[in-house]
């Protein structure tokens, strides 16, 4: 049952006009790349190179450590100058392999040999995804090979491709769907073969009509699989996994459960594109598209960036800023991470870099809750953010515990809508942390 | 290289760090409060025009008392002074709107002070009060000074309180006309039938007079007697539409409240055999403070439920209570008490209407 929507949600101004007509561009390779060994959920990869060693483009530099981990590859050819701790999006002291660019690019720009994925079996396909170090590019960065290989006691009948891109400002997924629809459909077929299923949906918000049309055209040529494009109502957080599954299948992922509990696997369009590259061309995940945007950015756009390139280098390539930023955000404005300096590298889960001016991100002291109930009506999980916030403020975690704090998906809709400007999702995070520590 | 680092440093000078989300809605508490004040202006101005400029004085005293009380209390309680958020102004204004036009000026002064000091600040200030401050202030005044609160209505040039141009039915005895000329429409409905019974006369002419097209028209436009703010349904509805459009209030409470009163009265008068049933229903919807209460006081966010289901239950509860008080209670009007009682059980409603968490 397709319901096209979900309960609650908000309509922030989408501000996609800054970049949604600007075609992809490559950024030049920085002098130094700082490649974190942790760019995913799970254990950091183990370094397999040493300082002083020369590496080739795409060479393995970090070996996945355990099941929930991912390989890390050299994104540029050159000399490993050091393996040291630097500030990364995941940690203030994240181990990075620092590579000084040198030597030739062996893979980029070459005519590539195409593997025939139909002749490969499931294990071989998953092996290729795993060794390419692919993780969810939507932001969560969960190792994709694990997601595509659910335990035997879970049957999967539906694959959902997430092309909703509900975060304001970001336009990479939109641009990718418009420019590479055939590749995405082919990637979808590969993922379906891995999962052994015959039904897939691609959910796209209605504010991307060109992407919807491009994918519909591409999907129409597919005879072997059933791939349906689902235009979704525009509402944040439509791209949140549980809300997307509900909108497309009408199934509710149980509290504390995973999509596979309702027989669904969700993959972001960018991830699907990367899966195809890995399977057909044995290409490791060393680059991705990101949106660099904000009204103060001189040359905003959608850029192809190698992991390890630092925000400062990216900004230089984008012509700098028209005025001092008030906030630098890695990701979108709803879920992204505020940075305190620009020497932080882009990683696999980075979907964009957003520079906000002073008037775009007013920080006002918050007031007490006036019980207006707006947070209750926008919460996509049907929680009571106001009560959770009040309990957190009084450190009454015993009260908060009964209000399902762990069902919060941290979408930030409650904080966005609160007229008292209360940091409600932050309060809920505080509750989660306090309760986790107690357990 | 040094220059570049200096540049970088300068670039990061005003950087703000905070948790996501990094963008916020433009709506804020002070903005909402001041828009509510604005929405009450048409009815307020009409009232000053209808009842005279003394009304403006009553309103000014009420608002000033509320502001001063708030400042003093927050100073004494060592709280930040938040009087510019507009909430005290709303309390003062709404209290004044619930007073007869010709009350002595100490009445609004005492009422607003009680509302702010006892009902709002001593319970913790904005967001923590259990009862609507303006309504609790009115209830306090009504209990303490019933004469001042129920007799000082405005008399129109024709000498009547009930309406500017009443079309008195010729069949009505002079004794009745004299006694209801000093009453509000709801007061006449409450006292009239008793009086007629004592005179062993038919109540029908009174009902014909009250439940008439002319009376409904007067009630809608507002050239009738009553409290300062409840007179004109038309101007109140203009303000209410503005608040609905600005998404400051939702339809849930006002609609369920008014619909319940309409349904309750409809059933009651149907079995009573009143001939002009639609007029009887409209009479109850438009008279007294129902429109004012339903759109401006039962929608006070602090003292009403947070869930949509809860809001509807709240509205229905208010409707039933107001109807019961009007028909069988000691007061002609039941809006304030119905809301106050429902304020009291709001925490319970919230607890019982907690939405089902997604995936449970």
């Amino acid at each position: 049952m397709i319901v096209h929507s979900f309960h609650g949600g908000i309509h922030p101004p989408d501000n996609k006009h800054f970049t949604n007509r600007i075609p992809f561009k490559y950024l030049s390779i920085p002098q130094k790349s700082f490649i974190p060994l942790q760019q995913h959920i799970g254990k950091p990869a183990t370094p397999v190179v040493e300082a002083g060693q020369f590496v080739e483009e795409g060479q393995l530099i970090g070996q996945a450590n355990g099941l929930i981990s991912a390989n890390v590859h050299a994104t540029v050819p050159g000399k490993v100058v050091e393996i040291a701790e630097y500030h990364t999006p995941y940690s203030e002291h994240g181990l990075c392999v620092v590579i000084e660019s040198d030597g030739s690019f062996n893979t980029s720009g070459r005519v590539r040999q195409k593997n025939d994925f139909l002749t490969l079996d499931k294990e071989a396909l998953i092996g290729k995804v795993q060794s390419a170090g692919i993780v969810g590019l939507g932001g969560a960065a969960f190792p994709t090979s694990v997601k595509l290989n659910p335990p035997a006691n879970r049957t999967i009948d539906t694959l959902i491709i997430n092309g909703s891109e509900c975060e304001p400002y970001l336009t990479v997924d939109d641009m990718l769907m418009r420019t590479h629809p055939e590749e995405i459909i082919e990637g979808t077929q590969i993922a379906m073969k891995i999962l052994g299923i015959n039904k897939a949906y691609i959910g796209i918000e209605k504010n991307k009509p060109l992407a919807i049309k491009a994918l519909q055209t591409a999907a129409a040529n597919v005879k072997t699989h059933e791939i349906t494009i689902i235009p979704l109502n525009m509402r944040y957080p439509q791209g949140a996994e549980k809300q997307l599954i509900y909108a497309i299948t009408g199934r509710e992922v149980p509290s504390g459960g995973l999509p596979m509990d309702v027989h669904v696997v969700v993959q972001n369009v960018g991830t699907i594109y990367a899966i195809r590259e890995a399977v057909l061309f044995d290409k490791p995940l060393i680059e991705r598209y990101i949106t660099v945007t904000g009204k103060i950015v001189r040359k905003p756009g959608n850029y192809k960036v190698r992991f390890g390139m630092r925000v400062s280098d990216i900004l230089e390539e984008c012509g700098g800023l028209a005025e001092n930023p008030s906030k630098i955000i890695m990701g979108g404005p709803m879920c992204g991470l505020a940075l305190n300096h620009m020497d932080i590298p882009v990683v696999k889960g980075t979907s964009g870099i957003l520079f906000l001016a002073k008037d775009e991100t007013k920080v006002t002291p918050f007031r007490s809750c006036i019980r207006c109930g707006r947070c209750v009506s926008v919460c996509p999980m049907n929680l009571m953010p106001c009560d959770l916030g009040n309990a957190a403020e009084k450190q009454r975690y015993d009260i908060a515990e009964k209000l399902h704090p762990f069902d919060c998906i941290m979408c930030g809709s409650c904080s966005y809508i609160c007229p008292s400007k209360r940091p409600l999702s932050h309060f809920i995070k505080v509750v989660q942390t306090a309760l986790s520590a107690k357990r | 290289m040094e220059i570049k680092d200096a540049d970088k440093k300068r670039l990061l000078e005003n950087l703000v760090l905070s948790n996501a989300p990094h963008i916020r809605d433009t709506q804020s508490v002070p903005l909402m409060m001041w828009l509510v004040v604005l929405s009450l202006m048409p009815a307020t101005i009409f009232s000053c025009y209808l009842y005279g400029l003394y009304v403006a004085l009553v309103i000014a005293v009420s608002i000033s008392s509320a502001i001063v009380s708030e400042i003093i209390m927050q100073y004494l309680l060592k709280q930040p002074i938040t009087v510019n958020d507009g909430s005290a102004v709303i309390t003062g204004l709404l209290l004044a709107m619930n007073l007869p036009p010709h009350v002595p000026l100490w009445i609004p002064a005492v009422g607003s002070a009680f509302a702010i000091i006892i009902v709002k600040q001593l319970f913790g200030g904005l967001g923590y009060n259990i009862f609507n401050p303006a309504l609790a202030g009115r209830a306090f005044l009504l209990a303490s000074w019933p004469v001042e609160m129920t007799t000082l209505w405005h008399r129109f040039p024709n000498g009547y309180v009930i309406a500017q141009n009443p079309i008195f039915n010729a069949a009505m005895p002079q004794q009745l006309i004299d006694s209801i000329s000093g009453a509000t429409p709801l007061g006449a409905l409450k006292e009239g039938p008793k009086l007629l019974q004592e005179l062993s006369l038919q109540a029908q002419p009174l009902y014909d007079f009250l439940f008439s097209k002319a009376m409904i028209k007067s009630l809608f436009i507002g050239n009738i007697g009553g409290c300062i703010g409840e007179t004109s349904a038309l101007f109140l509805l203009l303000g209410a539409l503005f608040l609905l459009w600005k998404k400051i209030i939702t339809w849930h409470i006002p609609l369920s409240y008014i619909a319940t009163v309409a349904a309750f009265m409809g059933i009651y008068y149907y079995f009573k055999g009143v001939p002009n049933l639609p007029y009887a229903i409209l009479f109850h919807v438009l008279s007294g403070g129902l429109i004012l209460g339903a759109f401006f006081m039962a929608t006070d966010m602090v003292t009403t439920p947070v869930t949509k289901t809860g809001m509807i239950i709240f509205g229905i509860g208010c409707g039933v209570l107001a109807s019961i008080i009007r028909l069988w209670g000691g007061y002609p009007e039941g809006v304030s008490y119905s809301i106050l009682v429902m304020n009291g059980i709001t925490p319970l409603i919230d607890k019982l209407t907690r939405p089902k968490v997604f995936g449970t």
Side-chain angles (χ1 to χ4, degrees):
Chain A
M1 184 190 63
I2 301 167
V3 284
H4 295 282
S5 206
F6 60 96
H7 166 268
I10 54 172
H11 298 93
D14 78 356
N15 282 325
K16 292 184 190 276
H17 61 274
F18 292 114
T19 52
N20 68 2
R21 278 186 298 264
I22 304 175
F24 286 129
K25 260 185 248 158
Y26 282 89
L27 288 186
S28 24
I29 304 298
Q31 255 184 339
K32 265 190 189 177
S33 294
F34 296 74
I35 307 163
L37 287 162
Q38 174 150 43
Q39 303 187 34
H40 48 261
I41 289 183
K43 282 189 189 160
T46 318
V48 293
V49 288
E50 280 167 14
Q53 190 180 336
F54 276 86
V55 290
E56 296 204 357
E57 181 188 16
Q59 183 183 328
L60 187 73
I61 55 172
Q63 176 83 47
N65 178 13
L67 183 63
I68 313 287
S69 184
N71 286 345
V72 176
H73 301 82
T75 58
V76 291
K79 185 182 166 192
V80 176
V81 284
E82 56 173 340
I83 297 173
E85 285 185 353
Y86 279 98
H87 198 160
T88 78
Y90 291 98
S91 159
E92 290 220 15
H93 310 282
L95 205 55
C96 293
V97 175
V98 184
I99 302 177
E100 215 167 59
S101 316
D102 191 12
S104 62
F105 288 81
N106 292 326
T107 45
S108 312
R110 291 237 175 135
V111 179
R112 300 177 293 183
Q113 188 84 36
K114 197 171 172 180
N115 300 328
D116 183 5
F117 76 89
L118 294 171
T119 61
L120 296 167
D121 64 356
K122 183 185 164 181
E123 274 64 40
L125 291 169
I126 288 184
K128 281 181 187 295
V129 171
Q130 199 266 336
S131 68
I134 296 178
V135 301
L137 298 185
F142 188 80
T144 302
S145 53
V146 182
K147 225 173 164 182
L148 286 175
N149 196 12
N153 59 354
R154 293 287 199 285
T155 52
I156 301 295
D157 61 14
T158 307
L159 169 68
I160 294 178
I161 312 297
N162 190 353
S164 55
E165 199 166 53
C166 57
E167 272 271 4
Y169 289 94
L170 302 185
T171 54
V172 261
D173 289 351
D174 183 16
M175 200 49 81
L176 186 68
M177 291 186 284
R178 278 151 65 176
T179 52
H180 297 85
E182 275 90 15
E183 287 86 342
I184 290 169
I185 296 295
E186 200 171 9
T188 307
Q189 288 171 282
I190 295 170
M192 288 161 92
K193 180 161 195 281
I194 295 174
L195 292 165
I197 57 172
N198 203 31
K199 199 165 69 178
Y201 296 101
I202 305 181
I204 308 170
E205 273 195 354
K206 286 173 187 165
N207 60 353
K208 300 180 241 321
L210 295 174
I212 294 174
K213 208 160 170 215
L215 280 171
Q216 275 169 343
T217 314
N221 302 327
V222 178
K223 300 281 176 278
T224 48
H225 296 86
E226 192 190 318
I227 301 175
T228 318
I229 317 300
I230 311 284
L232 298 163
N233 292 340
M234 274 166 59
R235 203 180 323 152
Y236 179 88
Q238 181 60 74
E241 209 164 51
K242 291 179 177 181
Q243 280 60 37
L244 185 70
I245 293 171
Y246 180 73
I248 290 181
T249 65
R251 300 177 195 169
E252 274 189 38
V253 177
S255 170
L258 291 168
M260 63 183 179
D261 296 332
V262 292
H263 319 296
V264 176
V265 165
V266 181
Q267 294 289 351
N268 169 269
V269 279
T271 317
I272 285 292
Y273 183 78
I275 290 172
R276 174 184 174 274
E277 296 266 295
V279 168
L280 298 187
F281 306 109
D282 294 308
K283 194 188 155 196
L285 185 63
I286 56 169
E287 60 187 356
R288 69 164 294 159
Y289 294 111
I290 64 166
T291 302
V292 180
T293 184
K295 70 173 186 188
I296 54 174
V297 180
R298 287 224 170 83
K299 283 192 281 177
N302 302 296
Y303 297 101
K304 195 158 202 178
V305 179
R306 301 276 167 116
F307 305 128
M309 187 169 182
R310 300 199 293 187
V311 175
S312 48
D313 295 325
I314 291 171
L315 184 62
E316 219 160 289
E317 290 276 309
C318 296
L321 300 172
E323 61 178 89
N324 276 9
S326 175
K327 254 186 188 173
I328 303 172
I329 297 155
M330 200 166 247
M334 291 302 297
C335 289
L337 181 74
L339 306 181
N340 60 349
H341 59 83
M342 293 202 279
D343 298 332
I344 295 178
V346 162
V347 294
K348 293 173 181 176
T350 307
S351 44
I353 299 166
L354 171 62
F355 295 87
L356 290 178
K358 203 171 177 187
D359 59 322
E360 289 173 294
T361 167
K362 275 196 204 119
V363 181
T364 44
F366 63 86
R367 298 163 183 271
S368 48
C369 171
I370 58 162
R371 296 172 31 81
C372 66
R374 279 170 170 72
C375 55
V376 179
S377 60
V378 302
C379 179
M381 297 304 289
N382 284 342
L383 305 178
M384 303 270 272
C386 48
D387 289 355
L388 276 160
N390 290 336
E393 218 179 359
K394 291 182 222 134
Q395 301 187 0
R396 287 294 304 269
Y397 303 123
D398 55 322
I399 298 175
E401 197 168 12
K402 292 174 192 137
L403 297 166
H404 297 266
F406 289 98
D407 282 296
C408 175
I409 57 168
M410 287 291 145
C411 69
S413 297
C414 47
S415 307
Y416 174 84
I417 207 77
C418 180
S420 288
K421 310 293 169 199
R422 293 171 70 75
L424 293 169
S425 53
H426 171 73
F427 279 144
I428 299 174
K429 187 94 216 165
V430 170
V431 168
Q432 288 179 347
T433 313
L435 289 176
S436 305
K438 218 170 70 180
R439 275 174 191 181
Chain B
M1 213 44 192
E2 277 163 12
I3 297 163
K4 206 185 145 192
D5 280 349
D7 270 356
K8 257 191 209 170
K9 213 174 162 190
R10 187 181 49 78
L11 200 64
L12 303 176
E13 254 169 17
N14 302 314
L15 218 53
V16 175
L17 279 181
S18 69
N19 276 44
H22 306 289
I23 48 172
R24 299 294 183 95
D25 193 26
T26 49
Q27 194 85 273
S28 72
V29 171
L31 182 68
M32 285 158 69
M33 296 290 174
W34 288 112
L35 286 178
V36 173
V37 173
L38 185 69
S39 73
L40 284 164
M41 281 305 114
T44 308
I45 292 165
F46 178 75
S47 211
C48 295
Y49 157 76
L50 187 72
Y51 297 144
L53 277 178
Y54 182 76
V55 164
L57 204 57
V58 174
I59 294 170
V61 168
S62 185
I63 292 176
S64 310
S65 165
I67 290 175
V68 171
S69 306
E70 177 123 314
I71 293 174
I72 291 175
M73 277 310 278
Q74 290 186 326
Y75 177 77
L76 291 177
L77 296 169
K78 299 189 173 61
Q79 298 284 319
I81 310 284
T82 57
V83 74
N84 61 356
D85 68 15
S87 62
V89 175
I90 294 184
T91 299
L93 181 58
L94 282 176
L95 179 83
M97 294 186 105
N98 279 290
L99 299 176
H102 295 282
V103 285
L105 291 177
W106 58 266
I107 286 268
V110 171
S112 277
F114 178 85
I116 294 291
I117 294 170
I118 308 288
V119 187
K120 187 179 172 190
Q121 289 300 338
L122 285 187
F123 277 82
L126 182 64
Y128 296 101
N129 49 304
I130 297 166
F131 297 102
N132 184 316
L135 285 178
R138 178 182 185 260
F140 165 74
L141 292 173
L142 191 60
S144 311
W145 298 282
V147 178
E148 284 83 349
M149 287 295 287
T150 54
T151 55
L152 300 170
W153 308 113
H154 184 74
R155 279 180 189 268
F156 290 108
N158 59 13
Y160 300 133
V161 165
I162 194 158
Q164 202 159 6
N165 301 301
I167 310 120
F168 280 112
N169 194 312
M172 266 202 276
Q174 189 59 40
Q175 231 173 327
L176 177 68
I177 294 174
D178 289 345
S179 75
I180 66 170
S181 66
T184 59
L186 275 178
L189 181 66
K190 185 115 233 166
E191 301 307 324
K194 283 184 208 158
L195 193 80
L196 287 165
Q197 207 170 17
E198 281 167 26
L199 298 169
S200 13
L201 289 169
Q202 286 288 318
Q204 198 52 47
L206 178 70
Y207 290 127
D208 287 346
F209 161 63
L210 292 174
F211 303 158
S212 67
K213 197 178 169 185
M215 179 55 87
I216 298 302
K217 214 173 136 189
S218 289
L219 285 167
F220 183 71
I221 294 163
N223 47 1
I224 46 146
C227 289
I228 291 172
E230 70 188 24
T231 177
S232 170
L234 173 65
F235 287 105
L236 288 170
L237 286 172
L238 274 180
L241 280 178
F242 174 73
L243 292 185
L244 284 168
W245 172 56
K246 282 283 172 194
K247 296 202 168 95
I248 289 171
I249 61 172
T250 60
W251 56 268
H252 301 81
I253 291 176
L255 194 76
S256 56
Y257 191 170
I258 293 168
T260 304
V261 170
F264 203 107
M265 293 301 176
I267 294 166
Y268 175 80
Y269 286 109
Y270 175 77
F271 284 108
K272 215 161 185 266
V274 168
N276 302 324
L277 192 60
Y279 288 145
I281 294 169
L282 276 174
F283 176 85
H284 274 284
V285 169
L286 297 173
S287 65
L290 184 57
I291 301 287
L292 177 67
F295 284 100
F296 297 94
M297 293 188 290
T299 53
D300 168 38
M301 298 152 199
V302 178
T303 55
T304 55
V306 293
T307 63
K308 296 281 180 271
T309 324
M311 289 178 186
I312 291 171
I313 295 171
F314 183 93
I316 293 173
C318 284
V320 170
L321 286 170
S323 304
I324 290 173
I325 295 171
R326 279 188 183 184
L327 292 175
W328 298 291
Y331 292 104
E333 164 64 327
V335 169
S336 334
Y337 286 108
S338 73
I339 297 173
L340 282 171
V341 170
M342 293 309 288
N343 284 164
I345 63 169
T346 289
L348 182 66
I349 297 176
D350 269 340
K351 204 170 174 180
L352 295 178
T353 58
R354 215 171 266 168
K356 184 193 85 76
V357 173
F358 186 91
T360 55

